[in-house]
Amino acid sequence: MSESTFAETIAKDQRVEPRDWMPDKYRQTLIRQIAQHAHSEIIGMQPEGEWITRAPTLRRKAILLAKVQDEAGHGLYLYSAAETLGADRGDLTKRLIEGRQKYSSIFNYPTLTFADVGVIGWLVDGAAICNQVPLCRSSFGPYARAMIRICKEESFHQRQGYELLMTMMGGTAGQRAMVQDAVNRWWWPSLMMFGPPDGDSPNSAQSMAWKIKRHSNDELRQRFVDMSVPQAEALGVTLPDPVLRWNAEREHYDFGEPDWSELKRVITGDGPLNRQRIERRRQADSDGAWVREAAAAHAAKHGSGR
């Protein structure tokens, strides 16, 4: 494949495969995006994982265990996709731990009550679905194919979270207040998951031109709000935005502006739990070193025919 063939492949909405020629910037953009996505899946195990031992019933514990396990699998799919571009999984992890690569800002917030588990399923996974379903049509084949399974599992996670919240909203006044408090805390960070406004997003235009992503940050954010409002009404909670209202002319909901200074602060490492999340990831990487070394030794021995 040549540069002209690459351009034709993108124009025809076809897939670029790992052995095809691609611009260096296309490759590096993909590695950055896929690595950030993979890091987010792995770091994202922590907020809900903290509740596995404290889940109120065996059923809720089993659901949470399965979900956290799914997130680990998503990270592995995505690291594998990055490796087809020539990236090294160990190097990507090192870059994350050293602060040279990022993960989703949403996972730097604490899960204070079990209602947070449900709200993460409903809002955070819901935002992830809005972001990720279009990636099933990404121009890079391995990324697009990985996203198909990931999106199916994320959709299930969202339904699990919403079901938990419906159960709690049918419970005591204290449980209903717990759900509303969690919604109040997670709504605005969920809107920030889509990234900064389009005018302040330096990578979006080129990613869309290459069809790595299909929609702008603001388009996806609007889609998420439009999806979430009727779900909130059915649930019986209030979204904490006094500006939120239906705009008949636009046929979309108008909504308030997130605090972009907070997003910048969290992204640059000054969120509530940034240091704790990275330290736990560093410790897990260190604790698992002997497993990787043993696996490599076994592979080397097996490869030598002994």
Side-chain angles (χ1 to χ4, degrees):
M1 181 184 280
S2 63
E3 184 172 0
S4 60
T5 307
F6 172 83
E8 184 179 351
T9 299
I10 298 297
K12 289 183 176 180
D13 221 3
Q14 296 174 341
R15 295 274 170 80
V16 177
E17 297 297 338
R19 294 184 180 181
D20 295 338
W21 184 92
M22 63 186 74
D24 288 341
K25 288 187 178 180
Y26 177 83
R27 184 185 303 275
Q28 292 307 314
T29 296
L30 279 167
I31 291 174
R32 177 189 56 78
Q33 179 170 328
I34 295 172
Q36 180 173 323
H37 193 166
H39 298 330
S40 298
E41 297 286 357
I42 299 301
I43 295 288
M45 298 165 64
Q46 293 186 34
E48 291 174 290
E50 295 171 355
W51 281 93
I52 290 174
T53 59
R54 296 182 287 166
T57 67
L58 183 59
R59 175 174 177 266
R60 295 297 177 190
K61 186 188 296 287
I63 289 172
L64 201 49
L65 275 167
K67 179 182 179 182
V68 171
Q69 178 177 279
D70 284 348
E71 305 298 353
H74 298 172
L76 295 181
Y77 303 152
L78 292 163
Y79 283 130
S80 295
E83 286 176 326
T84 70
L85 291 158
D88 178 79
R89 189 177 310 198
D91 178 64
L92 296 179
T93 300
K94 182 179 179 182
R95 288 172 179 269
L96 169 68
I97 291 170
E98 293 177 350
R100 292 184 288 146
Q101 287 186 336
K102 295 180 171 60
Y103 58 92
S104 179
S105 61
I106 194 75
F107 299 119
N108 290 311
Y109 293 89
T111 44
L112 302 181
T113 70
F114 197 67
D116 290 46
V117 172
V119 171
I120 288 174
W122 171 38
L123 293 180
V124 176
D125 292 337
I129 290 166
C130 284
N131 255 326
Q132 295 173 9
V133 167
L135 294 176
C136 295
R137 297 186 295 114
S138 172
S139 60
F140 185 59
Y143 193 22
R145 289 188 288 272
M147 291 313 305
I148 293 172
R149 178 168 180 172
I150 290 173
C151 286
K152 288 179 179 179
E153 293 179 352
E154 292 290 0
S155 295
F156 191 56
H157 297 167
Q158 187 193 30
R159 290 195 293 273
Q160 289 175 331
Y162 197 76
E163 184 271 337
L164 169 58
L165 296 180
M166 287 291 287
T167 300
M168 294 186 71
M169 290 300 289
T172 66
Q175 288 174 319
R176 290 191 291 274
M178 191 183 297
V179 172
Q180 183 62 63
D181 173 68
V183 171
N184 292 346
R185 287 184 285 107
W186 287 94
W187 173 249
W188 292 108
S190 295
L191 289 186
M192 296 178 196
M193 284 180 67
F194 299 95
D198 292 343
D200 297 328
S201 182
N203 300 309
S204 287
Q206 184 60 74
S207 291
M208 291 177 66
W210 279 328
K211 299 183 180 178
I212 295 172
K213 62 184 290 185
R214 299 285 180 152
H215 304 283
S216 74
N217 295 352
D218 289 337
E219 289 173 339
L220 292 169
R221 198 173 357 258
Q222 181 69 69
R223 183 177 299 181
F224 173 69
V225 172
D226 290 346
M227 176 185 76
S228 299
V229 173
Q231 293 173 350
E233 292 173 351
L235 192 59
V237 297
T238 301
L239 298 176
D241 182 354
V243 180
L244 187 66
R245 60 179 55 84
W246 178 253
N247 186 318
E249 184 177 345
R250 292 196 313 118
E251 296 188 342
H252 292 288
Y253 283 93
D254 292 335
F255 57 95
E257 192 81 2
D259 182 355
W260 299 119
S261 63
E262 178 182 343
L263 176 63
K264 183 176 181 180
R265 194 165 58 249
V266 175
I267 286 176
T268 54
D270 195 27
L273 294 176
N274 290 59
R275 294 171 184 81
Q276 177 180 311
R277 299 294 190 229
I278 289 296
E279 174 55 28
R280 286 188 177 178
R281 183 68 189 94
R282 186 202 64 75
Q283 187 61 52
D285 184 65
S286 177
D287 291 346
W290 72 271
V291 179
R292 296 191 298 275
E293 291 167 3
H298 175 78
K301 182 177 180 179
H302 180 75
S304 66
R306 289 177 292 171

